[in-house]
Amino acid sequence: MFKIVPKPKKVDFTGKWFDFDGFENFPDFISREFSIPKGSWKIEIVERPGTGISIENKKVKVWGNVNVAYATIVQLLIQRKDALPQVTVEEEFRFSFRGFHLDIARGGVPNLSTFKNILRWLFLLKINYFAIYFEDLFPWEKHPKIGAGRGRLTKEELKEIIEYGKNLGIEVFPSLELTGHMENILSIPEYSKYSEWYLPREGCLDLSSEEAKKFAYELLDEVLEFFPSKYVHIGGDETWALGRGKSLEKNWIFEGPKLYEEYHKNMIDVVEKYRKIPIMWADMLTGMFLRPDERKVWEKLLQSDIWQRTILANWDYAAMPKEHFINRIESLGNNHQSNQIVCPGFSNWNRFYPDFEVAIENIKNFIEAAKTKGIQGFLVTSWGDDGQECLFSFLYPLFVATIELAEGDGDWEKSYIVLSGESEKLLDVRKVFGMSKIANNIKGLLYGSKEVVQMGTSEKRGLKRCFEEALQKAIDANLPEDLAFIRQAIRVAIKRLENTVTESDLIKLGSYYCRLWRKERKKEGLDRIVGRFWAAGGKVSLEQERN
């Protein structure tokens, strides 16, 4: 038998298989990227309702969304290269907007090979949107100092990524920050005057300054001129400092929400001038992550009708029950149910490995709430807070989990095994490494964080037992080099808990990590992680000398 991901609306399989030698007219780009051979089989595009394929001997009829149909054919050939089944498949999607959002600004910037690998996975899984979160890493020609030395993408690289996605039926669109999270821009001396606070590292733009707003509109214009996408994400999240700095000093009246609304109306106008659709984070419209007294001030923003002209990206990354997320969706009000997408997360930030337990619970329940409330789409997020140590290669099982939880039967483990070619034992290792107690403690144990130093004896014993059990499950497994790194990191973490870790352990592990980083990323940002390993090793050496 075979598996199609996500589970289709209907599969009618006769049980018969036909020998396959290749296609005469399969799209050249997809053939090349997925090693589909040339041969005697033909693709015939026909007119029928919906989307699907029908396979007979030497012929595959395709209708509807051809990229979805081609992805299904590639999936079948991944599972068996020499034969295709006599089958009719009908596919239907609950969510029209199926997206992945990748932060490249907080740590390592993927190289082109990694971007393309991500896009191939998205194509296979029928995910149709890919957002790149830039902060300062878009190549602004009018402001060349922005992103310099941080691995920013060139326009040539971006064009190649956008075109690669287009050839796979995926729209690549920009995700910007032009209000908050601007610390890397505002810390450049010539732009620090635009900061709301006198400490630019806080990252909020002074929206009471016409010059600062003109600067941001100029940044937005250049991105809109460059990107061919229908959508552009204009940010707008976590602008907690707005109205509390230079803008407050002008008349000593707090006007954060007023400044926010006026500025974002102008941003929306600019986006619409280019005939594009703005997306923005929804948290500040309700003050959902603020204290209750602050929330009451900010939630008045929802009364404005300008947000109807946007897609509101409603984010929440907690492992909470479905009812929590229904409340989160409803918090935006009845007027914003049709222009809202839900944004769960991979829980890969501040870690060397994703917390699978939290991520899957979050994705499952947020998306189930979205189904109940009739939301149009999802944009699952990967963030890189605090250095982005988590390798991108660790995210692929979570891609599969997301699409199966959103559109399939939830059996993501079998789907991942089928598409990746990995064994069940290897996937079990991935899931063990993704247990919350493991994933959330590797980083602190390697670097010797304050929380680790302050751990009590019984807590250390319990954590050591958990790590030893995880190591036992992976001890004899033939692991790819990225997972082998996590296995070795667990060994070093156990030694930390035993107080036997050495400087050499940490330096060697850091060198191992460097090789993995350079395979999937540009070099910029790696020095920060190397420095942490060396600092941790040096601290161990000092402690040993002291003792």
Side-chain angles (χ1 to χ4, degrees):
M1 192 53 180
F2 53 86
K3 196 172 197 310
I4 296 171
V5 183
K7 186 179 180 180
K9 175 184 175 183
K10 183 179 179 182
V11 177
D12 185 8
F13 175 45
T14 67
K16 186 175 182 179
W17 290 79
F18 303 113
D19 291 340
F20 176 77
D21 63 353
F23 280 109
E24 181 181 301
N25 63 336
F26 203 71
D28 289 340
F29 183 86
I30 300 174
S31 294
R32 184 175 67 250
E33 295 306 306
F34 290 93
S35 302
I36 309 297
K38 286 285 185 182
S40 58
W41 280 63
K42 291 184 180 179
I43 296 287
E44 180 184 348
I45 297 177
V46 298
E47 291 292 328
R48 278 191 204 174
T51 291
I53 65 171
S54 180
I55 301 176
E56 296 293 340
N57 193 20
K58 300 288 185 180
K59 183 186 288 186
V60 181
K61 291 182 179 178
V62 167
W63 61 92
N65 186 324
V66 294
N67 293 301
V68 168
Y70 293 149
T72 295
I73 295 167
V74 173
Q75 287 183 16
L76 291 171
L77 290 170
I78 286 172
Q79 294 169 69
R80 186 169 175 182
K81 297 184 183 304
D82 64 346
L84 283 172
Q86 186 178 43
V87 67
T88 298
V89 179
E90 296 177 16
E91 305 202 54
E92 187 175 79
F93 294 92
R94 169 63 188 77
F95 297 103
S96 59
F97 190 110
R98 305 179 297 280
F100 170 57
H101 181 281
L102 179 66
D103 175 5
I104 68 168
R106 254 73 82 80
V109 178
N111 56 35
L112 281 176
S113 176
T114 300
F115 269 116
K116 290 176 180 179
N117 202 32
I118 288 169
L119 285 163
R120 283 193 295 272
W121 268 105
L122 299 184
F123 164 78
L124 267 183
L125 298 172
K126 302 155 190 175
I127 293 171
N128 53 358
Y129 292 98
F130 176 39
I132 303 175
Y133 177 83
F134 287 103
E135 289 194 5
D136 61 322
L137 296 184
F138 179 84
W140 281 285
E141 290 179 352
K142 294 178 182 177
H143 299 275
K145 289 185 180 179
I146 295 177
R150 291 216 330 117
R152 70 181 170 209
L153 294 171
T154 66
K155 288 199 169 177
E156 290 69 30
E157 288 171 329
L158 265 178
K159 285 176 183 176
E160 189 169 340
I161 293 163
I162 292 166
E163 186 66 19
Y164 196 91
K166 181 181 177 182
N167 285 328
L168 295 174
I170 299 165
E171 178 176 304
V172 180
F173 68 89
S175 179
L176 307 173
E177 291 286 10
L178 296 171
T179 312
H181 292 292
M182 292 186 69
E183 55 272 19
N184 286 312
I185 295 176
L186 298 177
S187 293
I188 298 170
E190 63 197 77
Y191 304 124
S192 62
K193 61 184 176 181
Y194 302 139
S195 174
E196 169 71 284
W197 280 15
Y198 292 98
L199 181 66
R201 292 298 303 174
E202 194 285 326
C204 190
L205 195 69
D206 175 12
L207 298 188
S208 69
S209 163
E210 291 301 319
E211 187 182 359
K213 289 188 288 186
K214 183 181 176 183
F215 166 66
Y217 299 147
E218 191 172 86
L219 296 181
L220 178 59
D221 268 321
E222 190 169 340
V223 174
L224 291 169
E225 287 169 5
F226 177 82
F227 263 90
S229 59
K230 176 172 68 173
Y231 293 105
V232 58
H233 199 314
I234 58 175
D237 61 314
E238 298 181 330
T239 61
W240 301 317
L242 181 58
R244 301 178 186 278
K246 294 176 186 174
S247 61
L248 181 63
E249 292 175 355
K250 291 185 177 177
N251 57 15
W252 295 106
I253 298 172
F254 176 69
E255 295 185 317
K258 177 174 178 264
L259 292 168
Y260 188 97
E261 180 182 354
E262 291 173 352
Y263 173 70
H264 281 88
K265 179 187 180 301
N266 292 338
M267 298 277 275
I268 292 165
D269 289 342
V270 172
V271 172
E272 289 180 340
K273 182 181 74 174
Y274 286 86
R275 304 193 176 199
K276 298 182 186 294
I277 299 171
I279 301 173
M280 59 181 291
W281 302 115
D283 56 298
M284 295 309 297
L285 305 189
T286 61
M288 60 180 67
F289 297 111
L290 297 172
R291 296 194 310 265
D293 56 327
E294 295 176 318
R295 194 178 306 139
K296 287 180 181 179
V297 175
W298 280 92
E299 63 187 9
K300 294 175 186 176
L301 276 174
L302 266 182
Q303 298 171 12
S304 174
D305 60 2
I306 66 170
W307 317 119
Q308 290 285 355
R309 295 158 58 193
T310 72
I311 302 293
L312 298 178
N314 194 350
W315 61 273
D316 190 325
Y317 311 133
M320 299 294 283
K322 177 182 173 181
E323 290 71 22
H324 167 86
F325 295 108
I326 287 177
N327 291 336
R328 180 69 79 215
I329 291 166
E330 291 177 344
S331 72
L332 293 178
N334 293 331
N335 292 335
H336 297 296
Q337 301 300 292
S338 63
N339 67 318
Q340 181 181 163
I341 56 176
V342 299
C343 303
F346 281 165
S347 285
N348 62 306
W349 47 94
N350 292 316
R351 299 171 177 88
F352 275 93
Y353 196 83
D355 184 335
F356 274 44
E357 292 180 337
V358 166
I360 289 172
E361 188 74 4
N362 169 251
I363 293 164
K364 179 181 72 173
N365 291 335
F366 208 169
I367 284 180
E368 281 300 313
K371 291 176 185 177
T372 298
K373 298 300 296 182
I375 300 302
Q376 65 171 311
F378 64 85
L379 182 65
V380 67
T381 60
S382 163
W383 295 103
D385 302 49
D386 195 40
Q388 203 164 48
E389 285 103 335
C390 182
L391 298 169
F392 300 121
S393 59
F394 294 146
L395 303 181
Y396 302 144
L398 294 173
F399 287 176
V400 181
T402 299
I403 198 64
E404 280 291 14
L405 290 166
E407 301 286 359
D409 59 7
D411 184 13
W412 69 269
E413 291 95 338
K414 185 176 179 183
S415 297
Y416 179 74
I417 289 167
V418 161
L419 294 181
S420 68
E422 292 185 357
S423 66
E424 185 175 349
K425 181 177 181 180
L426 188 49
L427 178 57
D428 285 343
V429 171
R430 290 187 183 276
K431 290 168 67 178
V432 166
F433 289 172
M435 291 169 54
S436 297
K437 270 200 170 180
I438 303 296
N440 295 342
N441 286 292
I442 291 174
K443 182 171 177 175
L445 287 167
L446 294 184
Y447 294 157
S449 69
K450 183 173 71 174
E451 291 76 15
V452 169
V453 172
Q454 293 175 348
M455 250 182 226
T457 303
S458 62
E459 187 180 358
K460 282 187 178 181
R461 282 200 196 111
L463 197 55
K464 180 172 176 281
R465 188 162 49 250
C466 183
F467 270 65
E468 286 171 340
E469 288 170 359
L471 183 60
Q472 193 59 39
K473 290 180 181 177
I475 199 78
D476 296 323
N478 184 18
L479 303 182
E481 60 180 352
D482 55 352
L483 281 182
F485 164 78
I486 297 296
R487 179 171 59 190
Q488 185 58 26
I490 288 172
R491 289 190 179 109
V492 173
I494 291 170
K495 293 182 76 173
R496 170 78 73 177
L497 290 165
E498 295 172 336
N499 292 322
T500 60
V501 68
T502 67
E503 180 180 17
S504 176
D505 291 329
L506 292 160
I507 301 305
K508 285 179 181 177
L509 191 64
S511 296
Y512 190 164
Y513 182 79
C514 286
R515 294 195 300 273
L516 297 173
W517 175 296
R518 291 306 305 273
K519 282 190 175 183
E520 66 168 33
R521 308 178 183 193
K522 296 187 177 188
K523 67 180 185 299
E524 288 84 0
L526 179 56
D527 55 339
R528 182 181 182 188
I529 312 306
V530 170
R532 289 174 174 176
F533 275 106
W534 278 83
K539 188 176 178 182
V540 166
S541 181
L542 285 171
E543 287 170 353
Q544 288 173 342
E545 287 180 14
R546 194 178 298 125
N547 295 332

